[in-house]
Amino acid sequence: MKFSQMKYQRPELSQVQSNVQMLLSKFKAATTAQDAMDCYIAYDEYLNKEVAQFSSLSYIRYSIDTNDQFYKDEVDFWDETWPVLEEDTKAFTSALLASPFRKDLEAAWGPVMFINAEIELKTFKPEIVEDLQVENALCTEHDDLKASAQIPFEGEMKTLAQMGAYHENPDPNVRRSARDAVAGWYQENGDKLDEIFDKMVKVRTKIAKTLGYDNFVELGYYRMGRNCYGAEDVAKFRQGLAEHIVPLVSRFKAEQAKRIGVDKITLYDNFFSYPDGNPQPKGTPDDIMAHGRKMYKEMSPDTADFIDVLMDNELFDVLARTGKQGGGYCSYLPAYGMPFIFANFDGTAGDVDVLTHEVGHALAGYEARNTKPSGLVDTPQDISEIHSMAMEFFAWPWMEGFFGDQTEKYYDSHLSGSVTFFPYGAMVDEFQHWIYENHTASSADRHAHWAKMEQKYRPYLDQSEVPFYQDGRWWQNQLHIYVVPFYYIDYVLAGVVALSFWAENQRDPKAAWDKYMKLLRTAGTKTFLDLIKEAGVPTPFEPANIKSVADAVTAWLDNRK
């Protein structure tokens, strides 16, 4: 079914609760393991295909046009409804874990689903329902504010997403003006962003304390579904990045400064890498999408039919528009077994990256569309971001169709850019740990601490010409800090693993692809550490393995010079 034909219907909350209670009673009354299994799958399908389906659909349509009042009201409804329903869904999770047939169910479905269920119960009590509703409303308020941004630039009003291309313009005056214009919007709205975030920190801390935690950090890890490592492991990972990746990125930035003829990298030059301009995809967004279809038709039988289904059924929305949310994501519509890809093309190489990245997510969901129950499909973000970031590198053989004579430049910028991102991702993560461990800190304290983190993770970047950023307020640009705390380090963990796939793909493309598809089809049946061990990828939590990644990237780039 085409996306425009998918019907939305707001469910009646009391009826949903009644149905869940009825299915729960049946599950508890099951007299055989098979009956229990059938009851649980019936509940799981009802919750996903008849309830969560409409939540996903409303959010997608709202993010496409935040001025659509109908879907704005529906998102508000779901912001209030999910916390209420959580008491009922957690009761079902408790019953699953207490089932007399648990050993039989674990034998059929594997242990990870049950480990995750135990973690899930650590994130909820009925006493926090109202606080969850407040948290949801604050996330929507943040999204609305960013989506409503209107930035006067070159005689037109631009959204934040539409400003992206100007940061890579070959004319330094355009880059400077663009950065000043964006900084001006954040300066004007900085106090409001501080106010929203301060309320977020307070309500998340309150929720954590109600659940018995000292602060939000442990709860944040449980919310992310982390089932095989903790904050100490992530701290070790960040340390490895600081020791082995920050010096490499500083080298990249020194080379960039020399290429573009400047003494130091400022905010204006940070995203401008080549004197004749950064690599840009050829043609229109339609041309990009057409070559994207060709690429996935040729990549493998696994992707050929899949890309036709997505494109023939309107399951992409990629153009930046006024009123559209920024960023990119892949959502899932379980009733149809279909993913949906959302992006904001801005004329940069990022248009190709977001296409390949989100298709990695989409392919994982599509491959698992017939798997039951959803607990065998759901993966924590550290795993799901491997799906997407590795796909960016598997797409390399088709880049000439996107970039033409700028393809070699794209390879260099994509690889070095991927590594350059790692310290920034670590900085976001360390900042968030500090925020929730120091939840009484003022907004000024937060800005000062971000500025301190900049010196540790991005010592090469001179921000002195833009007071707003010099004062340590760049973090307000990062959606994840507001809306999905502790998510961001997953991009970095997955990025290190993705580079292992990149290295193998240079040596043996078929073996690398087969290993990748096996990883996708494993879905949520293994933990992150077990999954990468099975894939033959070294754990990123050992600094020596971070050094190996840095050495491999350095060797590849040096061999091309």
Side-chain angles (χ1 to χ4, degrees):
M1 182 178 289
K2 294 183 184 299
F3 180 73
S4 59
Q5 298 171 327
M6 295 179 184
K7 297 187 184 301
Y8 174 81
Q9 178 180 334
R10 178 192 287 193
E12 179 63 45
L13 175 57
S14 61
Q15 186 60 55
V16 174
Q17 291 177 302
S18 176
N19 290 342
V20 171
Q21 288 297 324
M22 179 269 292
L23 290 165
L24 177 59
S25 296
K26 283 188 174 182
F27 180 79
K28 289 181 175 179
T31 57
T32 67
Q34 188 61 53
D35 285 345
M37 195 176 300
D38 292 343
C39 286
Y40 185 82
I41 288 176
Y43 153 76
D44 187 69
E45 291 212 316
Y46 170 70
L47 191 67
N48 284 285
K49 293 186 176 181
E50 297 186 43
V51 182
Q53 162 77 15
F54 292 127
S55 175
S56 296
L57 192 57
S58 67
Y59 177 76
I60 293 168
R61 287 181 172 158
Y62 165 70
S63 62
I64 288 171
D65 181 7
T66 61
N67 295 317
D68 187 320
Q69 190 59 47
F70 175 82
Y71 283 110
K72 172 67 168 69
D73 292 342
E74 294 311 295
V75 168
D76 290 343
F77 165 78
W78 287 107
D79 282 349
E80 295 179 1
T81 296
W82 277 118
V84 175
L85 281 176
E86 196 159 352
E87 184 172 357
D88 300 288
T89 61
K90 292 296 189 289
F92 219 119
T93 301
S94 296
L96 173 69
L97 294 172
S99 171
F101 305 108
R102 175 170 171 173
K103 287 186 178 180
D104 301 281
L105 300 180
E106 283 197 44
W109 294 336
V112 173
M113 175 177 156
F114 293 85
I115 294 170
N116 292 341
E118 289 170 348
I119 289 174
E120 183 185 332
L121 291 183
K122 297 178 180 181
T123 68
F124 182 78
K125 286 181 181 177
E127 297 94 309
I128 69 172
V129 167
E130 290 186 5
D131 292 323
L132 291 173
Q133 290 172 328
V134 170
E135 183 184 8
N136 287 344
L138 287 167
C139 290
T140 299
E141 183 181 0
H142 166 268
D143 291 346
D144 287 347
L145 177 62
K146 296 284 283 289
S148 70
Q150 290 287 284
I151 300 171
F153 192 73
E154 294 188 340
E156 297 179 355
M157 301 304 289
K158 303 287 186 181
T159 66
L160 287 167
Q162 289 170 332
M163 290 299 296
Y166 297 103
H167 301 317
E168 299 183 13
N169 193 286
D171 186 339
N173 294 320
V174 172
R175 297 198 302 274
R176 181 181 296 270
S177 297
R179 180 56 69 194
D180 287 346
V182 171
W185 184 88
Y186 277 102
Q187 184 75 52
E188 182 180 346
N189 292 276
D191 289 345
K192 183 63 177 176
L193 287 165
D194 275 338
E195 177 189 333
I196 291 171
F197 190 69
D198 195 62
K199 291 177 180 178
M200 286 176 165
V201 173
K202 284 181 169 62
V203 75
R204 285 170 181 153
T205 299
K206 182 183 176 186
I207 290 169
K209 288 183 177 293
T210 301
L211 292 173
Y213 304 111
D214 291 337
N215 55 53
F216 181 72
V217 174
E218 188 174 3
L219 175 58
Y221 272 56
Y222 286 145
R223 281 188 178 186
M224 291 302 300
R226 291 182 179 149
N227 54 20
C228 61
Y229 59 88
E232 290 183 3
D233 300 297
V234 174
K236 185 188 293 186
F237 177 57
R238 292 196 307 264
Q239 185 59 34
L241 295 170
E243 290 178 4
H244 301 297
I245 301 298
V246 170
L248 177 58
V249 173
S250 295
R251 171 194 150 176
F252 290 162
K253 289 299 179 176
E255 293 171 351
Q256 176 185 342
K258 185 176 180 180
R259 277 198 308 271
I260 64 176
V262 297
D263 295 329
K264 57 189 177 182
I265 295 295
T266 67
L267 279 170
Y268 307 115
D269 298 322
N270 192 33
F271 299 111
F272 182 69
S273 298
Y274 301 91
D276 57 344
N278 288 3
Q280 291 182 311
K282 301 183 302 180
T284 65
D286 286 341
D287 295 328
I288 293 172
M289 296 303 292
H291 185 64
R293 185 194 286 253
K294 180 177 183 292
M295 173 175 68
Y296 285 114
K297 295 284 282 185
E298 295 174 354
M299 187 175 288
S300 80
D302 304 304
T303 57
D305 292 338
F306 157 75
I307 198 64
D308 284 341
V309 169
L310 261 63
M311 291 193 169
D312 292 344
N313 289 285
E314 305 168 349
L315 295 167
F316 283 91
D317 189 297
V318 300
L319 298 180
R321 297 183 298 274
T322 299
K324 185 178 179 180
Q325 278 188 5
Y329 65 76
C330 175
S331 188
Y332 195 67
L333 298 161
Y336 304 102
M338 290 293 115
F340 183 93
I341 292 176
F342 173 98
N344 281 273
F345 281 8
D346 61 7
T348 69
D351 296 349
V352 175
D353 294 338
V354 76
L355 171 64
T356 56
H357 181 99
E358 301 304 341
V359 165
H361 286 309
L363 180 61
Y366 186 77
E367 284 290 320
R369 66 193 180 281
N370 296 319
T371 303
K372 302 175 185 178
S374 62
L376 303 182
V377 177
D378 296 338
T379 56
Q381 301 304 330
D382 48 18
I383 293 176
S384 65
E385 292 301 339
I386 300 173
H387 304 158
S388 56
M389 300 184 87
M391 177 60 82
E392 294 182 35
F393 291 112
F394 281 115
W396 269 25
W398 288 269
M399 286 302 109
E400 188 171 355
F402 291 115
F403 292 100
D405 60 4
Q406 299 183 62
T407 302
E408 293 298 317
K409 189 193 295 184
Y410 171 79
Y411 291 149
D412 291 345
S413 64
H414 184 220
L415 184 60
S416 60
S418 296
V419 176
T420 297
F421 166 76
F422 293 169
Y424 176 73
M427 176 167 62
V428 168
D429 186 70
E430 184 168 337
F431 180 62
Q432 289 182 103
H433 281 78
W434 182 89
I435 283 171
Y436 292 107
E437 289 167 356
N438 298 272
H439 53 83
T440 60
S442 67
S443 295
D445 292 335
R446 292 177 193 135
H447 302 325
H449 194 74
W450 178 264
K452 180 180 177 182
M453 292 292 94
E454 289 276 12
Q455 292 304 309
K456 177 178 179 179
Y457 288 105
R458 299 202 295 184
Y460 58 82
L461 185 60
D462 181 358
Q463 303 184 52
S464 61
E465 295 185 55
V466 187
F468 182 74
Y469 294 126
Q470 183 182 8
D471 293 343
R473 302 183 75 157
W474 176 287
W475 67 270
Q476 292 185 323
N477 178 64
Q478 191 57 61
L479 173 146
H480 300 72
I481 295 176
Y482 285 82
V483 178
V484 276
F486 296 108
Y487 187 142
Y488 219 59
I489 198 66
D490 292 344
Y491 289 116
V492 190
L493 286 166
V496 173
V497 175
L499 283 173
S500 296
F501 280 105
W502 160 78
E504 183 163 0
N505 199 42
Q506 307 301 308
R507 301 187 301 269
D508 189 341
K510 184 180 185 307
W513 180 259
D514 289 345
K515 186 180 290 186
Y516 173 72
M517 289 306 299
K518 182 181 179 182
L519 183 145
L520 256 62
R521 289 166 179 154
T522 301
T525 61
K526 293 186 181 297
T527 67
F528 174 81
L529 289 176
D530 286 342
L531 190 72
I532 63 173
K533 181 179 180 181
E534 186 174 284
V537 178
T539 173
F541 295 121
E542 291 299 329
N545 295 336
I546 303 295
K547 182 178 185 303
S548 296
V549 169
D551 290 345
V553 171
T554 301
W556 191 86
L557 290 170
D558 285 348
N559 287 338
R560 297 170 64 80
K561 293 178 179 178

